[in-house]
Amino acid sequence: MAVQKNVYSSVVKDLSKRNVNPNNSGLAGYSGAIGLKNSTGGIYAGGIEQLNPTLKNDRIVPKANMGVGVTGGGTIGGVTREGVITGSMGVTKLPSINPSFASGSSNSNLGKYADFFKLKRATPSASGAGGTGSTGGSISYAYAGGSVGGGNSEESGAQGDGKDEIEKVPASYEEYYEQQKKLLDERKAQADKEAEVAKQKAAVDAQASYAQNKASYGANAEQLAQMGLTGSGYSDYINAQAYAQKRADVQQANATEQAAKVQNRATYEDALSELNANKLQYDMQQQEKADAKQEQDRQQRDNIYATLWEQAMNPDSNLTEEGIESMGKAYGLDDAKIEELKSLVKSSTPKKDSNIYANLLSMANNGTYTADQIAAIAEQQGLSEKEINDLRNAADTYKNNIYKSNYSNYMAGVESGDTSKNLLDTALKNDEITQEQYDDLLDKFQTSAYSLYSQYVKADAINFDTDEVESAYKNGDISQEHYEKLKQEYLSALASAITSESLFYSGNGGNLDEKGARALVEKLKNTGWISDDIASKMDSLLASAYRKDDDDGGCYAKGTLIAIPSGGGYTQMPVENLNIGDNVLVFNHETGELDVAPISYIFYDGKKQYDVLRLDFDDDTSIEVLFGHSFFDTALKKYVLINAENVCNHLGHKFYAVSMADGAQESKVVKLTGFETYKKDTECYAVLTAQHINCFANGLLNITDDENNPSEPLRGFTNVFELDDNYKIDEEKRAADIEKYGLFAYDDWKDYATEEQFYAFNGAYLKVAIGKELITAEEIVQYINHFLNTER
């Protein structure tokens, strides 16, 4: 209890002065009473010292007025003759205080803060009402002379004596702000301190409970020994139970302390934020008043200066230099204006008439007045026309010299890059330079900016920041002529990069990968500077740069048999005997059944030596494919490419096939069991059917692959939608894909293909394929051009 005694030392000390015994009557008076509810519902009457238990004979014996209650039976357990354990230890947990930063009934300064000017001087009072503690053991802090109340029941603090009341009304808003902030800091510190005290109190209570519970250990052991049950472990169990309760109580005390401090911090920051917001508003209002007052004073001085100027110019005003100086200072005019007025008084004095021209000439030469102002003064003083013209010329000469000096300085800034258009605009507005000088400076400034941008374009048009040029043109940093020239230079540089095929050069000795190249093309198109012609050339370069044409895709060897309808049944015909428009057997993934469709395209690559991959299946079927080909994997439920590089990965996989005998066909699944590669002189064929794309070659459901590197089943035209167990398109998932990505209409592709071609390749679904990033619009155009050019 050393920590708690330190916390309350000042309170106990104060109580001792009041003849209050802290060991008998609790904490009351100056800081209020702390009411702590014990486990049996009573209120501790003891003071701080009473919370420290006394150890005696290894058993804790609390003092009589400590109020420790035993719950859960409270009797020492025993064992019957039948071996039944009775009673319970009644592990006791002492209550703890949960500090709160919330205010009590007398706390009126943690809410909204009154406007400083509306604060009324408060009369200090000798005492204040105590705060009311909230249920659950919280402590309430009274603002002015309040007490600390608390407990597990709604106990109220005692009447305070008013010592904590702020008796001094702040003399300024700043003093009020500091006063309130200090109060918030003190309250938070006090609340945190109370949280720490509460934690220490709970820890001590937990130890007391544990010691009291543990005290029964010996009695249990003796009783069990008399009953012949010395080794039952019952006392050990009770001791472990008490120790576990102690650990739980200590952990809870720590958690409660941290939660209280977090709440204290949140409440403190909210109050401080509100106090700061009020101060900011007050400061803004004061600044606005000061600015308004300053403007009012300036206008008043200008009016006074104008009035005195007229009087100084009037020879009959009888003003003297001493008089004008006295009035000027009285009205707050600056020394320069006072000297000007004194000069006017001096020049208007009749006895100084002979010096009027000389004085005005001096003013013209030092820029005191403009040519018009000096001419008006001279005319009013009755000077001759020649003298007036000479004065005007002198004022103009001075102004022109200033113009020249300013022009020279701004030109140096333009050449060094330290001048902006905004600076030139401001100089013109302030009459620092002439309109002609401004035009010349702006032209040189814009030309310099254009020259710099032009160098960037020619050096690296691909990475040139067109957005920066757009901004410069909008801000007037370059002219429209410069802007248009930069766009032409940009397009010319890109055209050159396309012609030299350096557009996709990565800068490290090679080209960008295909993804990077496509991203670059999209970025360049999005600048808004690219012409249709340049865009088309970029697409063509992209298509050619990332297209592998060493194998022309996967096809069959000459002699491969294609399933066709015949006489109400089906038969097979060598691929070389088929023509576009002939009907062949296909698998309809819309229905999940076999179907018939016409051939849309037949590819033929001529007779020469090819790399052949022969695939062998477990039904003695085999097929020769050139380079590679795609077949329908029944486990994956999609078309997969098989070539010499990956054939081993597909051994053991099962593929969809049909067998035909006596004009009938039967669906089946065959397993890939072996392969062989060799070179052979033969001819190369591939077949595409309308809408379905697939066909049956040597009984195997297949589809041609594309010409990409690596090759894949015809991308974008197959494997677009998920299939069910019957290899039918999953309608629900397809509807979701269409809802997400949409469908193409023929008008979207009328410039590239006929309507027949559009529907033959399921053109509407290509929008889903693009959305799923299976293919791009540029690749679709490449396919169309390739199919049309290779059609047999």
Side-chain angles (χ1 to χ4, degrees):
M1 289 306 295
V3 175
Q4 289 183 336
K5 290 174 67 176
N6 289 336
V7 171
Y8 289 105
S9 60
S10 61
V11 178
V12 176
K13 181 178 180 180
D14 185 70
L15 291 175
S16 65
K17 295 179 181 179
R18 299 163 183 253
N19 296 320
V20 178
N21 185 352
N23 292 325
N24 296 324
S25 56
L27 298 178
Y30 172 66
S31 292
I34 300 179
L36 302 178
K37 191 172 183 179
N38 64 19
S39 59
T40 59
I43 303 298
Y44 288 125
I48 297 302
E49 295 297 334
Q50 294 289 355
L51 298 179
N52 187 16
T54 302
L55 297 178
K56 182 178 180 182
N57 297 328
D58 297 328
R59 295 182 61 181
I60 292 179
V61 180
K63 293 187 179 181
N65 59 354
M66 183 175 178
V68 177
V70 179
T71 62
T75 60
I76 298 176
V79 181
T80 65
R81 294 181 179 277
E82 290 76 20
V84 178
I85 299 175
T86 62
S88 67
M89 184 60 196
V91 176
T92 301
K93 180 171 67 174
L94 298 179
S96 61
I97 300 175
N98 178 23
S100 171
F101 197 58
S103 64
S105 60
S106 295
N107 189 348
S108 61
N109 286 272
L110 289 180
K112 301 292 182 181
Y113 302 102
D115 186 275
F116 175 67
F117 292 105
K118 295 181 180 179
L119 287 177
K120 297 180 179 179
R121 181 172 294 275
T123 301
S125 60
S127 63
T132 300
S134 59
T135 302
S138 66
I139 297 177
S140 297
Y141 299 94
Y143 172 70
S147 61
V148 182
N152 284 336
S153 62
E154 295 184 356
E155 300 296 335
S156 298
Q159 186 77 3
D161 65 0
K163 280 192 175 183
D164 291 332
E165 182 177 10
I166 297 176
E167 299 180 355
K168 179 182 178 182
V169 176
S172 66
Y173 189 92
E174 287 71 21
E175 184 177 337
Y176 166 80
Y177 171 83
E178 293 300 327
Q179 188 183 83
Q180 295 298 314
K181 186 175 183 303
K182 179 180 179 182
L183 179 60
L184 290 177
D185 293 338
E186 291 173 350
R187 285 183 177 152
K188 179 182 178 299
Q190 181 63 21
D192 288 345
K193 183 182 296 184
E194 294 295 340
E196 294 170 0
V197 170
K199 181 193 75 170
Q200 296 162 2
K201 164 66 173 59
V204 171
D205 289 346
Q207 179 63 36
S209 297
Y210 169 68
Q212 178 180 347
N213 294 324
K214 186 178 179 182
S216 300
Y217 181 94
N220 284 336
E222 293 175 2
Q223 186 176 5
L224 292 173
Q226 294 174 3
M227 300 172 62
L229 298 175
T230 302
S232 66
Y234 176 77
S235 295
D236 292 337
Y237 163 74
I238 293 302
N239 183 49
Q241 183 186 31
Y243 180 76
Q245 181 62 51
K246 169 192 170 184
R247 288 188 59 192
D249 290 346
V250 172
Q251 291 172 354
Q252 179 60 41
N254 290 334
T256 300
E257 177 200 25
Q258 294 305 315
K261 287 186 175 181
V262 170
Q263 179 61 40
N264 293 344
R265 166 57 61 178
T267 306
Y268 168 82
E269 291 179 349
D270 287 346
L272 183 59
S273 175
E274 183 176 2
L275 185 61
N276 288 336
N278 289 340
K279 186 176 186 304
L280 178 60
Q281 182 178 6
Y282 170 79
D283 290 342
M284 292 175 62
Q285 291 173 348
Q286 295 306 303
Q287 184 61 46
E288 290 173 359
K289 292 177 181 178
D291 292 343
K293 181 64 168 59
Q294 185 178 11
E295 177 62 17
Q296 182 181 2
D297 292 342
R298 185 193 64 78
Q299 292 178 359
Q300 184 179 11
R301 287 194 299 271
D302 289 347
N303 292 336
I304 292 171
Y305 172 76
T307 301
L308 292 177
W309 190 85
E310 292 179 358
Q311 295 179 6
M313 291 296 299
N314 183 5
D316 299 326
S317 65
N318 295 323
L319 283 175
T320 64
E321 291 182 52
E322 292 78 11
I324 204 73
E325 182 174 13
S326 177
M327 285 188 290
K329 289 183 177 180
Y331 288 115
L333 300 183
D334 59 48
D335 293 341
K337 284 185 169 57
I338 292 175
E339 290 302 318
E340 290 175 3
L341 292 171
K342 289 170 65 177
S343 297
L344 290 176
V345 169
K346 184 177 180 180
S347 65
S348 64
T349 303
K351 65 179 181 179
K352 300 294 184 181
D353 285 345
S354 60
N355 295 325
I356 290 177
Y357 175 77
N359 291 332
L360 291 177
L361 181 61
S362 175
M363 294 178 184
N365 288 331
N366 63 27
T368 303
Y369 298 107
T370 66
D372 291 339
Q373 290 172 336
I374 208 73
I377 297 171
E379 184 178 357
Q380 188 180 35
Q381 295 299 317
L383 298 184
S384 66
E385 183 176 351
K386 181 181 182 305
E387 289 175 326
I388 293 174
N389 288 334
D390 289 343
L391 291 172
R392 181 183 288 277
N393 291 335
D396 285 339
T397 299
Y398 173 83
K399 189 65 176 179
N400 288 333
N401 289 336
I402 295 298
Y403 282 150
K404 289 179 181 179
S405 176
N406 290 341
Y407 171 79
S408 177
N409 291 335
Y410 281 116
M411 180 59 73
V414 168
E415 293 173 350
S416 65
D418 295 331
T419 297
S420 67
K421 183 176 180 297
N422 288 337
L423 287 176
L424 297 179
D425 291 343
T426 302
L428 178 64
K429 181 180 179 181
N430 294 339
D431 195 31
E432 298 177 26
I433 53 177
T434 66
Q435 181 66 51
E436 182 181 1
Q437 290 172 331
Y438 171 82
D439 293 339
D440 184 57
L441 287 168
L442 181 61
D443 178 66
K444 288 181 170 56
F445 172 77
Q446 291 178 332
T447 300
S448 177
Y450 158 74
S451 178
L452 189 61
Y453 285 130
S454 180
Q455 293 177 27
Y456 292 158
V457 168
K458 294 174 182 177
D460 188 6
I462 297 173
N463 295 310
F464 183 66
D465 189 351
T466 59
D467 288 340
E468 183 177 344
V469 177
E470 292 286 352
S471 178
Y473 174 55
K474 181 179 179 181
N475 294 334
D477 293 342
I478 57 174
S479 66
Q480 183 175 359
E481 180 183 0
H482 293 147
Y483 174 72
E484 296 298 337
K485 288 176 67 175
L486 285 172
K487 291 181 71 171
Q488 292 303 317
E489 291 171 1
Y490 179 77
L491 292 175
S492 177
L494 287 183
S496 177
I498 293 171
T499 302
S500 63
E501 298 186 355
S502 64
L503 183 66
F504 304 130
Y505 182 66
S506 65
N508 58 359
N511 283 342
L512 299 170
D513 57 22
E514 183 176 359
K515 182 178 180 180
R518 293 188 183 282
L520 175 61
V521 169
E522 289 303 313
K523 172 189 171 184
L524 295 176
K525 287 182 178 180
N526 290 334
T527 62
W529 285 26
I530 304 299
S531 64
D532 292 341
D533 179 58
I534 292 295
S536 177
K537 289 180 179 180
M538 286 195 302
D539 289 338
S540 298
L541 178 62
L542 180 66
S544 62
Y546 297 93
R547 173 180 172 185
K548 182 178 174 67
D549 55 4
D550 59 343
D551 60 10
D552 291 328
C555 304
Y556 334 109
K558 181 179 179 180
T560 300
L561 299 177
I562 307 300
I564 61 173
S566 175
Y570 294 90
T571 186
Q572 300 183 95
M573 178 179 291
V575 64
E576 60 268 23
N577 295 336
L578 294 173
N579 293 291
I580 292 176
D582 290 348
N583 285 328
V584 297
L585 182 65
V586 298
F587 190 92
N588 188 337
H589 291 291
E590 294 281 349
T591 63
E593 299 176 350
L594 296 174
D595 205 341
V596 173
I599 297 174
S600 294
Y601 295 95
I602 296 178
F603 298 97
Y604 176 70
D605 197 33
K607 183 176 182 179
K608 58 184 177 181
Q609 188 178 70
Y610 291 93
D611 291 324
V612 177
L613 171 64
R614 192 191 72 215
L615 302 175
D616 300 323
F617 298 88
D618 61 356
D619 66 340
D620 295 330
T621 297
S622 65
I623 185 171
E624 287 183 326
V625 298
L626 310 181
F627 309 111
H629 205 69
S630 299
F631 299 90
F632 189 80
D633 189 311
T634 58
L636 300 177
K637 291 185 284 189
K638 67 178 183 179
Y639 294 91
V640 296
L641 172 73
I642 302 177
N643 55 31
E645 286 74 24
N646 67 16
V647 62
C648 292
N649 297 332
H650 295 284
L651 289 174
H653 282 221
K654 295 180 179 181
F655 298 88
Y656 191 90
V658 294
S659 60
M660 283 163 286
D662 300 327
Q665 84 286 339
E666 179 182 359
S667 299
K668 62 180 180 179
V669 174
V670 296
K671 182 188 297 183
L672 179 61
T673 56
F675 68 93
E676 185 177 354
T677 59
Y678 46 86
K679 295 185 180 294
K680 178 179 179 179
D681 289 331
T682 183
E683 298 175 45
C684 181
Y685 295 88
V687 174
L688 269 73
T689 57
Q691 292 187 310
H692 306 287
I693 315 297
N694 63 66
C695 66
F696 286 87
N698 287 3
L700 295 160
L701 178 58
N702 71 97
I703 191 170
T704 188
D705 59 283
D706 61 23
E707 302 176 7
N708 291 277
N709 185 22
S711 298
E712 298 179 30
L714 202 57
R715 291 189 306 140
F717 298 90
T718 58
N719 297 335
V720 177
F721 300 111
E722 292 188 40
L723 307 178
D724 61 19
D725 292 338
N726 295 320
Y727 317 129
K728 178 179 178 295
I729 293 174
D730 188 310
E731 292 294 345
E732 182 176 348
K733 293 181 178 179
R734 175 165 65 177
D737 287 341
I738 294 173
E739 174 71 21
K740 182 176 181 180
Y741 302 110
L743 296 173
F744 278 131
Y746 170 64
D747 285 346
D748 296 322
W749 292 94
K750 64 182 180 181
D751 295 334
Y752 299 92
T754 66
E755 189 169 7
E756 180 183 2
Q757 293 167 340
F758 176 79
Y759 289 107
F761 281 93
N762 299 314
Y765 294 148
L766 291 176
K767 194 163 188 178
V768 177
I770 292 174
K772 289 186 173 183
E773 298 184 355
L774 301 177
I775 195 171
T776 66
E778 292 81 1
E779 289 173 328
I780 294 174
V781 173
Q782 293 175 39
Y783 278 133
I784 293 174
N785 293 335
H786 185 63
F787 293 158
L788 294 178
N789 293 334
T790 57
E791 179 180 344
R792 196 181 86 171

